[in-house]
PDB file of all heavy atoms in Angstrom:
ATOM      1  N   TYR A  26     127.742 151.061 217.438  1.00 97.00           N
ATOM      2  CA  TYR A  26     127.961 149.757 217.980  1.00 97.00           C
ATOM      3  C   TYR A  26     127.284 148.710 217.104  1.00 97.00           C
ATOM      4  O   TYR A  26     127.295 147.505 217.463  1.00 97.00           O
ATOM      5  CB  TYR A  26     127.293 149.664 219.353  1.00 97.00           C
ATOM      6  CG  TYR A  26     127.935 150.459 220.463  1.00 97.00           C
ATOM      7  CD1 TYR A  26     127.262 150.737 221.625  1.00 97.00           C
ATOM      8  CD2 TYR A  26     129.227 150.927 220.399  1.00 97.00           C
ATOM      9  CE1 TYR A  26     127.797 151.480 222.701  1.00 97.00           C
ATOM     10  CE2 TYR A  26     129.821 151.658 221.382  1.00 97.00           C
ATOM     11  CZ  TYR A  26     129.111 151.926 222.572  1.00 97.00           C
ATOM     12  OH  TYR A  26     129.698 152.664 223.603  1.00 97.00           O
ATOM     13  N   ASP A  40     127.325 158.638 217.091  1.00 92.00           N
ATOM     14  CA  ASP A  40     126.938 158.459 218.491  1.00 92.00           C
ATOM     15  C   ASP A  40     125.554 158.830 218.728  1.00 92.00           C
ATOM     16  O   ASP A  40     124.858 159.405 217.829  1.00 92.00           O
ATOM     17  CB  ASP A  40     128.022 159.120 219.323  1.00 92.00           C
ATOM     18  CG  ASP A  40     128.006 160.671 219.243  1.00 92.00           C
ATOM     19  OD1 ASP A  40     127.129 161.208 218.547  1.00 92.00           O
ATOM     20  OD2 ASP A  40     128.842 161.290 219.858  1.00 92.00           O
ATOM     21  N   SER A 129     126.623 161.040 226.151  1.00 93.00           N
ATOM     22  CA  SER A 129     127.979 160.972 226.712  1.00 93.00           C
ATOM     23  C   SER A 129     128.818 162.099 226.110  1.00 93.00           C
ATOM     24  O   SER A 129     129.911 162.392 226.630  1.00 93.00           O
ATOM     25  CB  SER A 129     128.655 159.598 226.465  1.00 93.00           C
ATOM     26  OG  SER A 129     128.748 159.385 225.022  1.00 93.00           O
ATOM     27  N   SER A 130     128.425 162.658 224.994  1.00 92.00           N
ATOM     28  CA  SER A 130     129.244 163.691 224.357  1.00 92.00           C
ATOM     29  C   SER A 130     129.044 165.063 224.939  1.00 92.00           C
ATOM     30  O   SER A 130     129.740 165.996 224.761  1.00 92.00           O
ATOM     31  CB  SER A 130     129.061 163.684 222.861  1.00 92.00           C
ATOM     32  OG  SER A 130     127.786 164.285 222.529  1.00 92.00           O
ATOM     33  N   LEU A 152     128.962 157.627 234.336  1.00 98.00           N
ATOM     34  CA  LEU A 152     128.942 158.895 233.611  1.00 98.00           C
ATOM     35  C   LEU A 152     128.675 160.002 234.718  1.00 98.00           C
ATOM     36  O   LEU A 152     129.272 161.085 234.622  1.00 98.00           O
ATOM     37  CB  LEU A 152     127.863 158.914 232.550  1.00 98.00           C
ATOM     38  CG  LEU A 152     127.764 160.146 231.692  1.00 98.00           C
ATOM     39  CD1 LEU A 152     129.044 160.391 230.957  1.00 98.00           C
ATOM     40  CD2 LEU A 152     126.593 160.048 230.689  1.00 98.00           C
ATOM     41  N   PHE A 155     131.991 160.743 236.173  1.00 98.00           N
ATOM     42  CA  PHE A 155     132.786 161.594 235.256  1.00 98.00           C
ATOM     43  C   PHE A 155     132.311 163.054 235.317  1.00 98.00           C
ATOM     44  O   PHE A 155     133.146 164.004 235.376  1.00 98.00           O
ATOM     45  CB  PHE A 155     132.617 160.980 233.875  1.00 98.00           C
ATOM     46  CG  PHE A 155     133.355 161.802 232.782  1.00 98.00           C
ATOM     47  CD1 PHE A 155     134.701 161.813 232.708  1.00 98.00           C
ATOM     48  CD2 PHE A 155     132.593 162.532 231.879  1.00 98.00           C
ATOM     49  CE1 PHE A 155     135.360 162.537 231.706  1.00 98.00           C
ATOM     50  CE2 PHE A 155     133.231 163.315 230.930  1.00 98.00           C
ATOM     51  CZ  PHE A 155     134.589 163.318 230.838  1.00 98.00           C
ATOM     52  N   HIS A 174     130.405 147.970 229.389  1.00 97.00           N
ATOM     53  CA  HIS A 174     131.546 148.853 229.860  1.00 97.00           C
ATOM     54  C   HIS A 174     132.081 148.427 231.269  1.00 97.00           C
ATOM     55  O   HIS A 174     133.246 148.600 231.634  1.00 97.00           O
ATOM     56  CB  HIS A 174     131.157 150.326 229.868  1.00 97.00           C
ATOM     57  CG  HIS A 174     130.989 150.839 228.501  1.00 97.00           C
ATOM     58  ND1 HIS A 174     129.824 150.750 227.793  1.00 97.00           N
ATOM     59  CD2 HIS A 174     131.995 151.426 227.673  1.00 97.00           C
ATOM     60  CE1 HIS A 174     130.084 151.364 226.585  1.00 97.00           C
ATOM     61  NE2 HIS A 174     131.316 151.719 226.536  1.00 97.00           N
ATOM     62  N   SER A 195     141.950 155.178 224.850  1.00 98.00           N
ATOM     63  CA  SER A 195     140.798 156.067 224.756  1.00 98.00           C
ATOM     64  C   SER A 195     139.507 155.240 225.158  1.00 98.00           C
ATOM     65  O   SER A 195     139.276 154.108 224.679  1.00 98.00           O
ATOM     66  CB  SER A 195     140.577 156.532 223.342  1.00 98.00           C
ATOM     67  OG  SER A 195     139.435 157.335 223.219  1.00 98.00           O
ATOM     68  N   VAL A 196     138.887 155.745 226.212  1.00 98.00           N
ATOM     69  CA  VAL A 196     137.737 155.051 226.735  1.00 98.00           C
ATOM     70  C   VAL A 196     136.443 155.853 226.822  1.00 98.00           C
ATOM     71  O   VAL A 196     136.444 157.037 226.759  1.00 98.00           O
ATOM     72  CB  VAL A 196     138.034 154.521 228.168  1.00 98.00           C
ATOM     73  CG1 VAL A 196     139.314 153.718 228.243  1.00 98.00           C
ATOM     74  CG2 VAL A 196     138.122 155.670 229.227  1.00 98.00           C
ATOM     75  N   HIS A 197     135.350 155.146 226.984  1.00 97.00           N
ATOM     76  CA  HIS A 197     133.978 155.789 226.996  1.00 97.00           C
ATOM     77  C   HIS A 197     133.720 156.205 228.440  1.00 97.00           C
ATOM     78  O   HIS A 197     134.117 155.409 229.354  1.00 97.00           O
ATOM     79  CB  HIS A 197     132.947 154.763 226.518  1.00 97.00           C
ATOM     80  CG  HIS A 197     131.627 155.426 226.155  1.00 97.00           C
ATOM     81  ND1 HIS A 197     130.662 155.640 227.149  1.00 97.00           N
ATOM     82  CD2 HIS A 197     131.107 155.813 224.948  1.00 97.00           C
ATOM     83  CE1 HIS A 197     129.633 156.136 226.497  1.00 97.00           C
ATOM     84  NE2 HIS A 197     129.890 156.277 225.266  1.00 97.00           N
ATOM     85  N   PRO A 198     133.050 157.261 228.757  1.00 97.00           N
ATOM     86  CA  PRO A 198     132.759 157.627 230.086  1.00 97.00           C
ATOM     87  C   PRO A 198     131.813 156.685 230.903  1.00 97.00           C
ATOM     88  O   PRO A 198     131.563 156.862 232.090  1.00 97.00           O
ATOM     89  CB  PRO A 198     132.174 159.057 230.007  1.00 97.00           C
ATOM     90  CG  PRO A 198     131.695 159.149 228.645  1.00 97.00           C
ATOM     91  CD  PRO A 198     132.534 158.306 227.780  1.00 97.00           C
ATOM     92  N   GLU A 199     131.245 155.652 230.196  1.00 98.00           N
ATOM     93  CA  GLU A 199     130.469 154.685 230.952  1.00 98.00           C
ATOM     94  C   GLU A 199     131.380 153.650 231.608  1.00 98.00           C
ATOM     95  O   GLU A 199     130.966 152.772 232.323  1.00 98.00           O
ATOM     96  CB  GLU A 199     129.554 153.917 229.985  1.00 98.00           C
ATOM     97  CG  GLU A 199     128.309 154.684 229.578  1.00 98.00           C
ATOM     98  CD  GLU A 199     127.331 153.905 228.704  1.00 98.00           C
ATOM     99  OE1 GLU A 199     127.400 152.666 228.685  1.00 98.00           O
ATOM    100  OE2 GLU A 199     126.519 154.530 227.977  1.00 98.00           O
ATOM    101  N   VAL A 205     138.584 155.178 233.778  1.00 98.00           N
ATOM    102  CA  VAL A 205     138.614 156.522 233.126  1.00 98.00           C
ATOM    103  C   VAL A 205     139.870 157.253 233.643  1.00 98.00           C
ATOM    104  O   VAL A 205     140.578 157.915 232.847  1.00 98.00           O
ATOM    105  CB  VAL A 205     137.319 157.280 233.448  1.00 98.00           C
ATOM    106  CG1 VAL A 205     137.381 158.751 233.037  1.00 98.00           C
ATOM    107  CG2 VAL A 205     136.117 156.626 232.722  1.00 98.00           C
ATOM    108  N   ALA A 208     143.029 156.289 231.758  1.00 98.00           N
ATOM    109  CA  ALA A 208     143.070 156.368 230.346  1.00 98.00           C
ATOM    110  C   ALA A 208     143.724 157.697 229.893  1.00 98.00           C
ATOM    111  O   ALA A 208     143.865 158.615 230.721  1.00 98.00           O
ATOM    112  CB  ALA A 208     141.731 156.238 229.742  1.00 98.00           C
ATOM    113  N   HIS A 210     142.491 159.356 227.231  1.00 98.00           N
ATOM    114  CA  HIS A 210     141.372 160.155 226.577  1.00 98.00           C
ATOM    115  C   HIS A 210     140.078 159.480 227.002  1.00 98.00           C
ATOM    116  O   HIS A 210     139.950 158.348 227.063  1.00 98.00           O
ATOM    117  CB  HIS A 210     141.511 160.158 225.085  1.00 98.00           C
ATOM    118  CG  HIS A 210     140.351 160.777 224.385  1.00 98.00           C
ATOM    119  ND1 HIS A 210     139.447 160.051 223.715  1.00 98.00           N
ATOM    120  CD2 HIS A 210     139.976 162.100 224.227  1.00 98.00           C
ATOM    121  CE1 HIS A 210     138.475 160.842 223.207  1.00 98.00           C
ATOM    122  NE2 HIS A 210     138.777 162.046 223.504  1.00 98.00           N
ATOM    123  N   VAL A 211     139.069 160.390 227.227  1.00 97.00           N
ATOM    124  CA  VAL A 211     137.687 159.831 227.472  1.00 97.00           C
ATOM    125  C   VAL A 211     136.699 160.570 226.610  1.00 97.00           C
ATOM    126  O   VAL A 211     136.820 161.806 226.489  1.00 97.00           O
ATOM    127  CB  VAL A 211     137.340 159.941 229.004  1.00 97.00           C
ATOM    128  CG1 VAL A 211     137.476 161.305 229.525  1.00 97.00           C
ATOM    129  CG2 VAL A 211     135.937 159.409 229.231  1.00 97.00           C
ATOM    130  N   GLY A 212     135.763 159.847 225.980  1.00 96.00           N
ATOM    131  CA  GLY A 212     134.779 160.520 225.139  1.00 96.00           C
ATOM    132  C   GLY A 212     133.741 159.544 224.636  1.00 96.00           C
ATOM    133  O   GLY A 212     133.823 158.343 224.797  1.00 96.00           O
ATOM    134  N   SER A 213     132.709 160.159 224.028  1.00 94.00           N
ATOM    135  CA  SER A 213     131.699 159.348 223.413  1.00 94.00           C
ATOM    136  C   SER A 213     132.278 158.518 222.290  1.00 94.00           C
ATOM    137  O   SER A 213     133.471 158.705 221.903  1.00 94.00           O
ATOM    138  CB  SER A 213     130.596 160.279 222.735  1.00 94.00           C
ATOM    139  OG  SER A 213     131.086 160.867 221.584  1.00 94.00           O
ATOM    140  N   THR A 214     131.502 157.639 221.654  1.00 93.00           N
ATOM    141  CA  THR A 214     132.042 156.787 220.625  1.00 93.00           C
ATOM    142  C   THR A 214     132.547 157.617 219.481  1.00 93.00           C
ATOM    143  O   THR A 214     133.691 157.277 218.943  1.00 93.00           O
ATOM    144  CB  THR A 214     130.967 155.730 220.100  1.00 93.00           C
ATOM    145  OG1 THR A 214     129.767 156.510 219.836  1.00 93.00           O
ATOM    146  CG2 THR A 214     130.727 154.692 221.132  1.00 93.00           C
ATOM    147  N   SER A 215     131.823 158.693 219.128  1.00 92.00           N
ATOM    148  CA  SER A 215     132.326 159.559 218.029  1.00 92.00           C
ATOM    149  C   SER A 215     133.590 160.316 218.440  1.00 92.00           C
ATOM    150  O   SER A 215     134.507 160.542 217.597  1.00 92.00           O
ATOM    151  CB  SER A 215     131.263 160.528 217.556  1.00 92.00           C
ATOM    152  OG  SER A 215     130.241 159.765 216.897  1.00 92.00           O
ATOM    153  N   ALA A 216     133.613 160.763 219.670  1.00 95.00           N
ATOM    154  CA  ALA A 216     134.823 161.456 220.217  1.00 95.00           C
ATOM    155  C   ALA A 216     136.016 160.458 220.177  1.00 95.00           C
ATOM    156  O   ALA A 216     137.200 160.886 219.883  1.00 95.00           O
ATOM    157  CB  ALA A 216     134.581 161.989 221.612  1.00 95.00           C
ATOM    158  N   ILE A 217     135.784 159.203 220.488  1.00 96.00           N
ATOM    159  CA  ILE A 217     136.898 158.193 220.418  1.00 96.00           C
ATOM    160  C   ILE A 217     137.392 158.096 218.982  1.00 96.00           C
ATOM    161  O   ILE A 217     138.608 158.050 218.743  1.00 96.00           O
ATOM    162  CB  ILE A 217     136.396 156.842 221.032  1.00 96.00           C
ATOM    163  CG1 ILE A 217     136.164 156.955 222.508  1.00 96.00           C
ATOM    164  CG2 ILE A 217     137.401 155.723 220.732  1.00 96.00           C
ATOM    165  CD1 ILE A 217     135.511 155.707 223.183  1.00 96.00           C
ATOM    166  N   ILE A 218     136.473 158.067 218.095  1.00 95.00           N
ATOM    167  CA  ILE A 218     136.818 157.900 216.653  1.00 95.00           C
ATOM    168  C   ILE A 218     137.654 159.132 216.154  1.00 95.00           C
ATOM    169  O   ILE A 218     138.650 159.026 215.572  1.00 95.00           O
ATOM    170  CB  ILE A 218     135.501 157.710 215.788  1.00 95.00           C
ATOM    171  CG1 ILE A 218     134.908 156.300 216.118  1.00 95.00           C
ATOM    172  CG2 ILE A 218     135.825 157.844 214.306  1.00 95.00           C
ATOM    173  CD1 ILE A 218     133.575 156.090 215.557  1.00 95.00           C
ATOM    174  N   TYR A 220     139.427 161.124 218.144  1.00 97.00           N
ATOM    175  CA  TYR A 220     140.670 161.196 218.846  1.00 97.00           C
ATOM    176  C   TYR A 220     141.707 160.190 218.205  1.00 97.00           C
ATOM    177  O   TYR A 220     142.852 160.531 217.850  1.00 97.00           O
ATOM    178  CB  TYR A 220     140.470 160.718 220.316  1.00 97.00           C
ATOM    179  CG  TYR A 220     141.681 160.453 221.116  1.00 97.00           C
ATOM    180  CD1 TYR A 220     142.422 161.477 221.667  1.00 97.00           C
ATOM    181  CD2 TYR A 220     142.171 159.156 221.288  1.00 97.00           C
ATOM    182  CE1 TYR A 220     143.594 161.294 222.387  1.00 97.00           C
ATOM    183  CE2 TYR A 220     143.367 158.920 222.045  1.00 97.00           C
ATOM    184  CZ  TYR A 220     144.034 159.986 222.544  1.00 97.00           C
ATOM    185  OH  TYR A 220     145.202 159.740 223.284  1.00 97.00           O
ATOM    186  N   GLY A 232     138.485 151.522 224.456  1.00 98.00           N
ATOM    187  CA  GLY A 232     137.742 151.067 225.677  1.00 98.00           C
ATOM    188  C   GLY A 232     136.235 151.301 225.485  1.00 98.00           C
ATOM    189  O   GLY A 232     135.687 152.087 226.238  1.00 98.00           O
ATOM    190  N   THR A 233     135.697 150.663 224.510  1.00 98.00           N
ATOM    191  CA  THR A 233     134.169 150.778 224.313  1.00 98.00           C
ATOM    192  C   THR A 233     133.770 149.572 223.561  1.00 98.00           C
ATOM    193  O   THR A 233     134.573 148.674 223.239  1.00 98.00           O
ATOM    194  CB  THR A 233     133.722 152.111 223.712  1.00 98.00           C
ATOM    195  OG1 THR A 233     132.276 152.209 223.929  1.00 98.00           O
ATOM    196  CG2 THR A 233     134.053 152.260 222.240  1.00 98.00           C
TER     197      THR A 233
END
Side-chain angles (χ1 to χ4, degrees):
Y26 293 162
D40 65 5
S129 66
S130 71
L152 185 59
F155 175 72
H174 288 89
S195 178
V196 303
H197 197 276
E199 284 183 20
V205 170
H210 170 255
V211 54
S213 76
T214 49
S215 291
I217 290 174
I218 291 168
Y220 171 80
T233 193

